[in-house]
């Protein structure tokens, strides 16, 4: 009989054979095999805390952070010696669960480590120590995973931000960071987060999506993909617009894959997450102020500086402030083929938001001057949307045609039209051309790029 069963009192009632559940529930470390009583769970937590404390004390400075495999082996050896030394008797399943739980806390990200390994999970949301949600296939699911307390969550947060030279404490209770695989992390702690330390992780796929993947998923049609590839190769300036979580960064990664290998690309981001395939890429990342409030390097500083670095393409992960004006200036001064993303619900809203963000640069510019900059700098808006059923689609590809009076003229080239909802709740619609030929086709021809005439006006429709 194992130690947990002996301490837990009466033998637990037999457990039925495991049935298939959602990955979030099967992987949740909330139930010990063979034990179903709360007393056994409390005993397990106490044993884990005691063994983990001893393990950390004995490890001291032996860990080599650059060799995870070696660290895991060290942890396992000391773990086994502690159990053997204290004559702690556990079943094989209990012993393995105890080790994996402790190892995740010491060298991983604790209870959420299994979620990071699950490729079907696209987002992880920790709302304090007792509530963890995931996004899977566009839907939110609550898991059985919990942390011990606020301090437990804070240890995981420190493990995320410390290697990046960032900090989070009461004086700086919010931080943006990233994991080693490029996944985006946002952290908010007390006193701002009343439920306790909050972590939001937007995972990046290990296998990079290609344009053919987006076509296969129904995010765009093949004609739209061919058109966007031609826009990138012809060095048109492109702005990807969309809401939070709509897939803007993913689309920007896909668009960047069309940039020729012989061009110098400089990326500017708050937290480096773009995954460009080209070899000649320089990645710049902003820096927050230090403890004394000094040393901050903003996105705007980086955009201004990268103009001195002989860029052929400038890619800004997201424009959200005064750097938007500098990005427009760069697009207007010979850095054709530049790309960025902004938060906006439609291309028309995107124009208004760019105008507002340009004013955030502190320049007292008239509205018409900013709109002229927009009309001359940006060629194409690509609207990315997350629909109610959780699917993500390119809903509009829009040309900036110029100015009429004080208004920036926009013309849709491709649109998505919703026609209904099927019996499974999936949105049904059509990705189709509007029949309008863009004015910049001569730029395609100058680059020896020729698209079939039917791409803009065919009666054929792409249904998903």
């Amino acid at each position: 009989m194992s130690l947990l069963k002996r301490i837990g009192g009466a033998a637990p009632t037999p457990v039925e054979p495991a049935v298939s559940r959602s990955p979030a529930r099967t992987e949740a470390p909330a139930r010990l095999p063979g034990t179903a009583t709360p007393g056994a769970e409390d005993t397990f937590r106490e044993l884990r805390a005691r063994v983990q404390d001893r393990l950390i004390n004995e490890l001291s400075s032996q860990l080599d952070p650059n060799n995870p495999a070696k660290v895991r082996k060290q942890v396992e050896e000391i773990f086994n010696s502690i159990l053997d030394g204290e004559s702690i008797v556990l079943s094989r399943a209990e012993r393995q669960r105890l080790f994996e739980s402790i190892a995740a806390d010491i060298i991983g990200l604790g209870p959420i480590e299994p979620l990071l390994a699950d490729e079907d999970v696209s987002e992880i949301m920790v709302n304090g120590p007792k509530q963890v949600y995931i996004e899977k296939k566009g839907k939110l699911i609550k898991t059985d995973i919990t942390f011990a307390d606020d301090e437990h969550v804070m240890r995981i947060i420190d493990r995320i931000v410390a290697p990046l030279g960032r900090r989070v404490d009461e004086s700086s209770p919010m931080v943006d960071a990233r994991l080693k695989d490029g996944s985006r992390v946002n952290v908010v702690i007390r006193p701002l987060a009343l439920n306790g330390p909050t972590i939001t992780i937007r995972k990046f796929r290990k296998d990079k999506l290609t344009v053919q993947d987006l076509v296969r998923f129904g995010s765009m049609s093949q004609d739209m993909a061919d058109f966007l590839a031609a826009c990138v190769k012809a060095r048109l300036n492109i702005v990807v617009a969309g809401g939070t979580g709509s897939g803007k960064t993913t689309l920007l990664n896909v668009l960047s894959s069309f940039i020729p290998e012989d061009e110098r690309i400089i990326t500017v981001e708050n937290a480096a997450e773009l995954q460009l395939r080209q070899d000649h890429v320089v990645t710049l990342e902003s820096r927050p102020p230090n403890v004394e409030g000094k040393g901050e390097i903003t996105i705007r500083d980086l955009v201004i500086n990268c103009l001195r670095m002989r860029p052929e393409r400038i890619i800004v992960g997201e424009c959200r402030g005064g750097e938007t004006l500098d990005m427009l200036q760069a697009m207007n001064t010979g850095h054709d083929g530049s790309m960025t993303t902004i938060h906006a619900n439609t291309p028309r809203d995107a124009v208004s938001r760019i105008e507002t963000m340009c004013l955030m640069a502190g320049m007292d510019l008239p509205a018409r001057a900013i709109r002229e900059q927009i009309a001359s700098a940006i060629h194409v808006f690509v609207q990315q949307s997350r629909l109610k059923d959780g699917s993500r689609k390119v809903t509009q590809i829009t040309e900036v045609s110029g100015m009429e009076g004080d208004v920036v003229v926009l013309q849709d080239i491709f649109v998505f039209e919703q026609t209904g909802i099927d019996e499974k709740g999936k949105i049904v619609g059509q990705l189709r051309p509007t029949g309008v030929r863009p004015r910049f086709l001569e730029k395609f021809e100058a680059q020896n790029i020729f698209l079939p005439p039917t791409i803009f006006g065919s009666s054929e429709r792409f249904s998903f």
Side-chain angles (χ1 to χ4, degrees):
M1 182 180 296
S2 76
L3 177 69
L4 291 185
K5 290 180 181 177
R6 285 191 280 111
I7 296 177
T13 56
V15 179
E16 291 294 326
V19 296
S20 61
R21 300 180 183 176
S22 66
R25 293 190 178 275
T26 56
E27 293 175 355
R31 191 150 296 166
L32 185 66
T35 58
T37 61
E41 278 300 313
D42 293 340
T43 302
F44 177 81
R45 293 192 194 97
E46 292 171 7
L47 178 61
R48 185 185 70 174
R50 183 159 56 86
V51 174
Q52 184 168 325
D53 287 344
R54 277 203 58 189
L55 186 59
I56 292 174
N57 289 335
E58 294 194 24
L59 280 170
S60 62
S61 60
Q62 298 178 39
L63 298 181
D64 179 5
N66 297 320
N67 193 337
K70 182 179 178 182
V71 170
R72 184 179 175 87
K73 188 175 180 181
Q74 285 177 305
V75 171
E76 189 168 12
E77 289 173 354
I78 299 176
F79 170 81
N80 289 329
S81 68
I82 291 173
L83 293 190
D84 295 340
E86 294 193 10
S87 299
I88 298 174
V89 181
L90 298 174
S91 70
R92 179 174 297 181
E94 291 169 348
R95 194 181 186 103
Q96 184 63 25
R97 179 192 166 194
L98 181 60
F99 170 71
E100 292 296 341
S101 177
I102 293 175
D105 261 357
I106 293 177
I107 58 179
L109 296 185
I112 61 174
E113 192 71 29
L115 300 178
L116 293 169
D118 188 344
E119 294 186 3
D120 291 333
V121 174
S122 56
E123 198 143 359
I124 303 168
M125 291 144 279
V126 179
N127 304 337
K130 302 304 180 184
Q131 198 177 69
V132 178
Y133 283 84
I134 61 173
E135 181 189 69
K136 184 175 289 191
K137 297 181 180 178
K139 298 296 182 181
L140 289 182
I141 303 170
K142 186 177 181 180
T143 72
D144 293 336
I145 293 174
T146 60
F147 290 79
D149 48 31
D150 282 6
E151 185 180 350
H152 189 188
V153 185
M154 288 301 299
R155 287 203 302 270
I156 302 304
I157 291 173
D158 289 338
R159 192 165 300 148
I160 294 172
V161 302
L164 302 175
R166 305 201 173 191
R167 64 187 179 90
V168 58
D169 50 37
E170 286 190 5
S171 63
S172 179
M174 296 188 298
V175 68
D176 285 317
R178 68 179 187 279
L179 302 181
K180 291 181 180 179
D181 64 357
S183 296
R184 182 190 311 173
V185 182
N186 176 265
V187 171
V188 185
I189 66 170
R190 296 183 189 273
L192 300 187
L194 302 184
N195 294 337
T198 301
I199 310 173
T200 307
I201 301 176
R202 182 166 301 163
K203 288 174 57 182
F204 267 20
R205 295 172 61 100
K206 294 180 181 178
D207 52 327
K208 299 176 184 177
L209 288 177
T210 66
V211 68
Q212 292 307 319
D213 291 325
L214 298 188
V215 173
R216 189 175 71 256
F217 297 155
S219 296
M220 64 175 71
S221 67
Q222 186 61 54
D223 279 0
M224 295 166 77
D226 294 340
F227 176 73
L228 289 175
C231 289
V232 175
K233 292 173 183 176
R235 301 183 65 86
L236 300 186
N237 295 321
I238 300 173
V239 173
V240 178
T244 301
S246 61
K248 299 186 299 297
T249 304
T250 298
L251 181 58
L252 191 62
N253 271 323
V254 170
L255 294 179
S256 69
S257 67
F258 300 122
I259 298 176
E261 289 284 348
D262 60 350
E263 295 188 15
R264 177 175 168 86
I265 307 168
I266 298 181
T267 67
V268 178
E269 301 172 82
N270 241 343
E273 53 187 335
L274 289 173
Q275 299 172 313
L276 273 63
R277 297 171 173 82
Q278 290 80 357
D279 183 56
H280 196 166
V281 178
V282 178
T283 302
L284 304 180
E285 184 179 63
S286 63
R287 187 178 71 184
N290 58 21
V291 180
E292 299 173 349
K294 300 178 180 179
E296 180 180 15
I297 305 295
T298 66
I299 292 286
R300 188 174 186 192
D301 296 330
L302 294 177
V303 171
I304 294 172
N305 184 78
C306 77
L307 299 178
R308 308 185 183 102
M309 299 173 64
R310 196 201 171 276
E312 289 178 293
R313 306 261 187 166
I314 299 173
I315 301 179
V316 178
E318 181 184 344
C319 283
R320 60 179 71 176
E323 68 273 3
T324 308
L325 179 60
D326 300 294
M327 187 68 187
L328 290 180
Q329 296 292 323
M331 290 176 170
N332 266 324
T333 54
H335 300 93
D336 295 331
S338 297
M339 293 181 275
T340 188
T341 72
I342 65 167
H343 282 86
N345 294 325
T346 65
R348 176 58 61 188
D349 289 345
V351 171
S352 299
R353 188 146 195 273
I354 289 174
E355 185 178 339
T356 302
M357 291 189 294
C358 286
L359 294 173
M360 293 169 66
M363 302 289 185
D364 189 15
L365 297 173
R368 181 177 175 83
I370 297 176
R371 291 170 188 164
E372 287 176 347
Q373 288 284 320
I374 294 171
S376 59
I378 300 171
H379 299 106
V380 179
F381 283 104
V382 182
Q383 185 68 40
Q384 178 82 12
S385 300
R386 183 175 181 269
L387 306 183
K388 290 184 178 179
D389 63 355
S391 63
R392 294 168 171 86
K393 295 186 187 294
V394 176
T395 52
Q396 287 171 275
I397 298 179
T398 303
E399 175 192 15
V400 180
S401 301
M403 292 277 293
E404 284 187 4
D406 289 339
V407 179
V408 178
V409 179
L410 304 178
Q411 180 62 60
D412 289 339
I413 307 300
F414 292 90
V415 296
F416 171 75
E417 290 183 352
Q418 180 178 337
T419 57
I421 300 177
D422 66 14
E423 63 277 2
K424 296 181 180 179
K426 286 289 185 181
I427 289 178
V428 179
Q430 300 167 333
L431 295 165
R432 66 172 185 85
T434 61
V436 175
R437 293 169 62 85
R439 297 185 180 184
F440 49 68
L441 283 183
E442 67 275 3
K443 291 181 178 289
F444 290 0
E445 296 168 1
Q447 297 288 334
N448 208 25
I449 300 171
F450 298 95
L451 297 175
T454 55
I455 199 172
F456 301 114
S458 171
S459 58
E460 179 183 3
R461 296 191 173 192
F462 304 85
S463 298
F464 298 93

